[in-house]
Amino acid sequence: MKKHFDVGIIGGGIIGQSIAYHLAKEGVSVLVLESHKIGTGATSAAAGMLGANSELENNDAFFQFAKESQRSYHILRDELSELSNINIQLVDNGMYKLAMTETEAESLKAVVKKHETVEWHPKEVVLEREPTLSSLIKGALYIPEDGHVSPTHVCAAFSKSASLLGATILEHTPVHSITKTATNEYELSTPVTDFICNHVVVANGVWSGYFFKQLGINAGMKPVKGECLSVKSNEINLERTIFYDHCYIVPKGDGRFVIGATMVEDDWNIVPTIGGIQSLIDKIKPIMPSISSAQLIDTWAGLRPQSDDGRPYIGQHPEGEKIYFATGHYRNGILLAPRTGMMVRDLILNKQQNEDYMNAFSLTRKHAQTMR
Ligand SMILES: Cc1cc2nc3c(=O)[nH]c(=O)nc-3n(C[C@H](O)[C@H](O)[C@H](O)COP(=O)(O)OP(=O)(O)OC[C@H]3O[C@@H](n4cnc5c(N)ncnc54)[C@H](O)[C@@H]3O)c2cc1C
């Protein structure tokens, strides 16, 4: 006899696990099917920055959603630690966005006028706080709210907590198809066995395009490969994340500095290249010369799931099927995971939703519509 669940989630990355946790907390019977191991997709490649202010420029629904998600991490840190005994390693020291020229300084100072929560710090202040940086900097935008977490710890904490709350989480179980049954439920077929679910959530990151096609959804999903490296050094002493020219250095609690990340469109290969890693080192050297003598610990790459317009798809199947999508989180899936989990929970439980978020992330906005 096939096993029944109320909600079947395809994909065990940070998005799928956040949804599982938020539903399991409400007593819903949840199944997560993950083709490999939990958290080994884009989630394991991420630096973990919670860059609501540094990544998003407009004060729109997407920005508000990101800010809510960022704030949720403070509650989740305690909640998940109590349940799972896993520390998500939330670091709240903020971020410096550097200016290396007067023109860059002027454009960063202009941001201060638009956002109350950011400050302009002149060169002397920045160097006093972060003496490892080059004396050639002109100053920096200080963004106190943009901290960071450990993505793999967050994913593991969501997963363990969901599981302790009754969710079933199966690794090495890829879903091949979603089929509607005669009783208006959905059958999820895997090589091991098939499962029957009342609701299905497609949350398998860059691989969601496979189900878009199968379900007749005309929405795009492309990989944007990102390469990173991590180093250790006694000569580098950073308190805050440093951001310059699409490149960043994140000081992790275990003494490593994570440096990222390249942006290579349409590349499905997750092996980092010499050229990619070299380009990161070349960008970091002028802002932090001591990087040259640091010890190289690791290099890796992952695939960011990019939708047609760079915003995630979070919403219900356009024809009212009880199939939901939570994918396309691109550069900010770690930041957006908590609020995405809450939004999908509320959609499935028919709770009141924020209309602006529904419109901003719907599958039928501008680029996405059913082919049928
Ligand atoms: C180099 C790099 C740096 C990044 N840095 C940051 C950052 O600092 N801050 C931030 O917020 N975001 C960052 N991101 C983005 C973030 O990592 C992603 O947006 C996020 O991890 C997406 O999560 P996900 O759960 O949707 O996808 P994934 O983590 O990729 O999870 C999808 C899962 O689905 C599984 N799967 C696929 N097909 C199937 C199937 N048919 N059946 C079952 N399971 C399936 C996969 O095995 C995978 O585990 C970064 C990404 C990269 C690559």
Side-chain angles (χ1 to χ4, degrees):
M1 180 137 151
K2 288 172 187 163
K3 282 200 175 153
H4 275 70
F5 292 87
D6 199 15
V7 180
I9 299 168
I10 305 172
I14 196 164
I15 300 298
Q17 294 299 349
S18 171
I19 299 165
Y21 170 69
H22 285 98
L23 283 167
K25 232 177 117 184
E26 296 292 313
V28 176
S29 84
V30 179
L31 166 71
V32 179
L33 297 170
E34 161 56 46
S35 50
H36 297 97
K37 280 187 80 69
I38 294 301
T40 47
T43 298
S44 64
M49 287 179 297
L50 306 177
N53 298 281
S54 48
E55 285 277 321
L56 308 174
E57 283 172 3
N58 301 323
N59 190 357
D60 56 6
F62 191 13
F63 180 67
Q64 291 310 327
F65 186 86
K67 293 285 287 180
E68 281 180 32
S69 203
Q70 187 186 54
R71 283 195 290 269
S72 305
Y73 267 111
H74 293 98
I75 299 165
L76 280 169
R77 170 182 44 196
D78 302 335
E79 208 173 275
L80 292 174
S81 153
E82 209 165 287
L83 261 166
S84 66
N85 214 14
I86 296 173
N87 178 353
I88 65 168
Q89 299 178 19
L90 174 64
V91 176
D92 241 349
N93 291 346
M95 176 188 289
Y96 267 135
K97 217 170 186 177
L98 301 185
M100 296 298 286
T101 65
E102 290 303 338
T103 314
E104 286 168 358
E106 286 316 308
S107 76
L108 289 179
K109 282 178 193 169
V111 179
V112 180
K113 292 185 189 133
K114 283 201 278 178
H115 292 283
E116 286 167 5
T117 53
V118 301
E119 298 160 27
W120 171 255
H121 284 185
K123 172 179 176 168
E124 304 69 45
V125 175
V126 181
L127 289 178
E128 197 187 311
R129 297 174 104 193
E130 302 292 3
T132 321
L133 292 174
S134 159
S135 59
L136 296 177
I137 64 162
K138 303 289 179 202
L141 190 70
Y142 178 50
I143 311 172
E145 292 177 342
D146 287 7
H148 58 91
V149 290
S150 162
T152 48
H153 285 80
V154 176
C155 191
F158 274 140
S159 182
K160 189 170 170 195
S161 302
S163 171
L164 289 167
L165 292 166
T168 301
I169 295 167
L170 301 179
E171 296 183 317
H172 307 291
T173 315
V175 177
H176 289 164
S177 64
I178 307 168
T179 321
K180 199 165 181 177
T181 68
T183 51
N184 283 336
E185 293 165 303
Y186 300 94
E187 183 171 280
L188 299 182
S189 305
T190 80
V192 188
T193 179
D194 298 340
F195 300 90
I196 303 292
C197 301
N198 291 328
H199 305 81
V200 172
V201 184
V202 175
N204 59 330
V206 73
W207 300 275
S208 305
Y210 173 81
F211 290 109
F212 285 165
K213 228 179 192 174
Q214 203 178 94
L215 296 163
I217 306 285
N218 186 18
M221 188 59 61
K222 274 194 290 188
V224 179
K225 175 178 176 177
E227 294 148 300
C228 292
L229 65 146
S230 63
V231 302
K232 274 194 174 178
S233 169
N234 291 334
E235 289 174 41
I236 302 174
N237 182 17
L238 277 187
E239 287 286 315
R240 295 156 196 86
T241 297
I242 305 298
F243 198 96
Y244 181 68
D245 191 16
H246 305 289
C247 205
Y248 49 76
I249 314 163
V250 187
K252 291 292 177 184
D254 57 6
R256 286 177 314 130
F257 299 95
V258 171
I259 298 172
T262 60
M263 298 273 286
V264 189
E265 297 212 352
D266 264 328
D267 187 346
W268 287 93
N269 188 330
I270 56 159
V271 179
T273 62
I274 298 282
I277 298 302
Q278 182 67 50
S279 71
L280 295 171
I281 297 169
D282 288 348
K283 276 189 180 184
I284 293 298
K285 242 172 151 177
I287 61 170
M288 210 174 60
S290 49
I291 193 74
S292 300
S293 58
Q295 257 183 290
L296 179 65
I297 305 295
D298 198 5
T299 61
W300 66 89
L303 306 179
R304 304 177 185 90
Q306 186 191 32
S307 68
D308 288 322
D309 60 6
R311 291 178 172 217
Y313 296 118
I314 312 169
Q316 190 168 0
H317 188 286
E319 287 167 5
E321 296 290 342
K322 288 177 288 172
I323 301 175
Y324 302 80
F325 298 86
T327 182
H329 290 73
Y330 189 36
R331 293 170 58 91
N332 292 299
I334 310 307
L335 165 68
L336 302 172
R339 192 61 184 84
T340 300
M342 293 172 206
M343 182 163 168
V344 175
R345 171 200 66 197
D346 293 349
L347 280 167
I348 290 176
L349 299 182
N350 250 322
K351 291 192 185 174
Q352 201 182 349
Q353 286 284 346
N354 178 318
E355 284 291 320
D356 291 341
Y357 298 166
M358 297 268 279
N359 295 331
F361 307 128
S362 119
L363 275 100
T364 51
R365 69 179 187 258
K366 210 171 154 203
H367 300 283
Q369 38 190 264
T370 47
M371 286 195 289
R372 273 185 255 132

